[in-house]
Amino acid sequence: MSDPMQAPTSGVLAAAATGVEDFIVSRGGDIDRIAGRSGLSTGQFALPTDRLDLTAYCRLFEEAARETQDGNLGLWFGQQFQPQMLGLVGYIALLSATAEEAVRNLASHFAYHQGNTHTQLVELDNGLLQLEYAIQDPAITQRRHDAELTMGMFCNVLRHAMGADWVPEAVLFEHTRPEQAHEHQNAFQADIHFGHRTNALIFRKVGLDRPMPTANADMLEIMRASLISLARNHHNTGQAPNRPSLKEQIASLIRSGLAERSCTLSDIAMHMNMPAWTLQRRLAQFDLSFGTLLEEVRYAEACRQLTMPGKDMGEIALALGYTETSAFSRAFRKWSGVSPRSWREQHLQKTAFLDAP
């Protein structure tokens, strides 16, 4: 099985970098030098509908945090980032009828704005909703600042309708607890939890029927069509993926169900509102095997989690749906030819070499 860490990355619309030059300069950073180290140029930020390489975009904030010595730079960039700055997908949220419709549209349309990314609105018990966000490209290992700024962006969409004082019940992050984590509590005014399977906002459904102040059904359809058309045009020119394929949809559902061991063919078919035999037939039309796809997702997710130094082997095994660490180790050796510990050591050595001045 090929190394999923070598898979090509996706793109993100340049609107996601709106205001980043002034923000980084205000924090004492040299934006030209930081952008250059990230594989970008400041000229790429000028047109919101252009696409940026997603790896480079994430690295931009890591480099900026390193140069400015501001360990929470992404966190604070997201807190000041207003929905309209996000471009087409931001306006899709702002023009929605209610706050709930805004977050549902944000979740369902974000894949057109940013490729290879999971966004989903999940209904929990006790009247709670969970808005999930996670980059799915395992090659993008520097993603902490992106996660923190995105959660801030999502919060500001809800505040547009619910008021500036609105706060979520909790915020979840994939990454381990950073230094100065008390600033996250101050920023979100909510319980903060690190080391989860996905990044997410958790908030109450009550009150989300409140109208969006800028609701406009006609303009919403125009923005929706523009975003989808733009994504298709980028796809046709090879710049970015189109709407998630069947394989990508299933992979996303498998990834979401790994830890709870709810990722069988029947589980996924139920989530997709179709009989298991129908899903199997659709997969066969594309010469896909559910079992092979499950293994690919597990391997990619294992590699991603192994790049996180705070994760021990037992935690990773549980996150992938294994009840025993030994079963995970045997599976990983079958996929990669080496043990998980050896793979992690090799990856850390490679990263240290690439990051060396």
Side-chain angles (χ1 to χ4, degrees):
M1 188 177 290
S2 62
D3 187 347
M5 299 300 287
Q6 301 305 314
T9 188
S10 275
V12 58
L13 289 179
T18 301
V20 73
E21 295 172 83
D22 290 342
F23 183 83
I24 289 176
V25 170
S26 74
R27 298 274 164 157
D30 183 323
I31 183 59
D32 290 310
R33 181 167 62 234
I34 291 168
R37 287 177 179 170
S38 306
L40 295 168
S41 68
T42 53
Q44 291 177 270
F45 306 145
L47 191 60
T49 52
D50 275 355
R51 281 206 175 248
L52 306 177
D53 179 89
L54 188 54
T55 303
Y57 174 79
C58 292
R59 190 175 181 87
L60 175 74
F61 292 97
E62 302 290 338
E63 290 289 342
R66 185 178 296 117
E67 175 163 316
T68 63
Q69 298 184 356
D70 182 350
N72 288 330
L73 184 135
L75 172 72
W76 296 117
F77 181 72
Q79 292 297 312
Q80 57 84 54
F81 197 99
Q82 297 305 308
Q84 63 270 22
M85 298 165 69
L86 202 51
L88 291 169
V89 75
Y91 279 106
I92 286 172
L94 292 174
L95 295 166
S96 300
T98 65
E100 182 175 352
E101 185 181 311
V103 291
R104 291 191 183 280
N105 282 336
L106 186 65
S108 62
H109 288 75
F110 205 81
Y112 296 110
H113 168 82
Q114 179 172 303
N116 219 348
T117 299
H118 164 81
T119 49
Q120 183 179 9
L121 187 65
V122 179
E123 297 213 20
L124 306 177
D125 296 332
N126 303 320
L128 295 173
L129 295 176
Q130 179 167 298
L131 180 58
E132 299 179 350
Y133 166 84
I135 292 174
Q136 294 179 332
D137 188 340
I140 303 177
T141 58
Q142 295 184 319
R143 56 173 79 181
R144 177 203 146 191
H145 291 283
D146 171 76
E148 294 179 2
L149 68 88
T150 302
M151 291 300 98
M153 292 175 180
F154 286 0
C155 272
N156 284 335
V157 169
L158 281 155
R159 288 179 182 134
H160 190 75
M162 307 299 288
D165 295 332
W166 179 89
V167 294
E169 296 294 310
V171 185
L172 312 182
F173 290 113
E174 287 182 302
H175 52 269
T176 54
R177 182 183 180 88
E179 295 181 9
Q180 299 179 320
H182 65 278
E183 291 192 9
H184 297 69
Q185 174 76 39
N186 294 337
F188 290 101
Q189 292 295 301
D191 292 335
I192 311 294
H193 303 279
F194 298 97
H196 280 256
R197 67 171 180 82
T198 189
N199 308 293
L201 295 181
I202 298 177
F203 49 93
R204 297 202 172 277
K205 187 173 181 178
V206 63
L208 293 185
D209 55 351
R210 184 173 297 183
M212 293 293 284
T214 49
N216 186 314
D218 292 335
M219 285 300 297
L220 171 62
E221 290 309 310
I222 291 172
M223 293 297 173
R224 194 197 311 268
S226 297
L227 179 62
I228 294 171
S229 176
L230 182 65
R232 287 174 177 165
N233 288 339
H234 281 303
H235 174 69
N236 291 336
T237 58
Q239 288 182 274
N242 198 359
R243 182 178 227 169
S245 65
L246 175 66
K247 180 178 179 180
E248 290 168 337
Q249 292 175 52
I250 295 172
S252 176
L253 290 170
I254 290 174
R255 190 176 291 104
S256 298
L258 281 175
E260 291 77 23
R261 296 194 290 280
S262 59
C263 52
T264 65
L265 177 67
S266 297
D267 293 326
I268 303 306
M270 182 179 66
H271 278 290
M272 299 182 75
N273 297 315
M274 65 177 70
W277 65 266
T278 301
L279 177 57
Q280 209 158 22
R281 178 174 55 80
R282 290 188 61 190
L283 283 167
Q285 290 174 343
F286 294 96
D287 293 322
L288 294 172
S289 157
F290 182 80
T292 301
L293 185 53
L294 175 61
E295 293 288 282
E296 288 180 3
V297 172
R298 270 190 162 140
Y299 181 35
E301 183 64 10
C303 290
R304 187 186 70 79
Q305 297 219 16
L306 284 168
T307 65
M308 302 167 66
K311 291 275 189 179
D312 64 37
M313 296 301 161
E315 288 179 295
I316 296 173
L318 287 174
L320 296 175
Y322 294 99
T323 55
E324 296 181 357
T325 305
S326 58
F328 162 58
S329 296
R330 286 194 299 272
F332 192 87
R333 187 179 288 276
K334 182 185 75 172
W335 299 329
S336 68
V338 297
S339 70
R341 294 186 191 281
S342 296
W343 191 96
R344 173 177 268 174
E345 290 171 3
Q346 292 170 13
H347 175 76
L348 290 175
Q349 290 170 2
K350 186 196 310 182
T351 302
F353 174 77
L354 293 173
D355 288 344

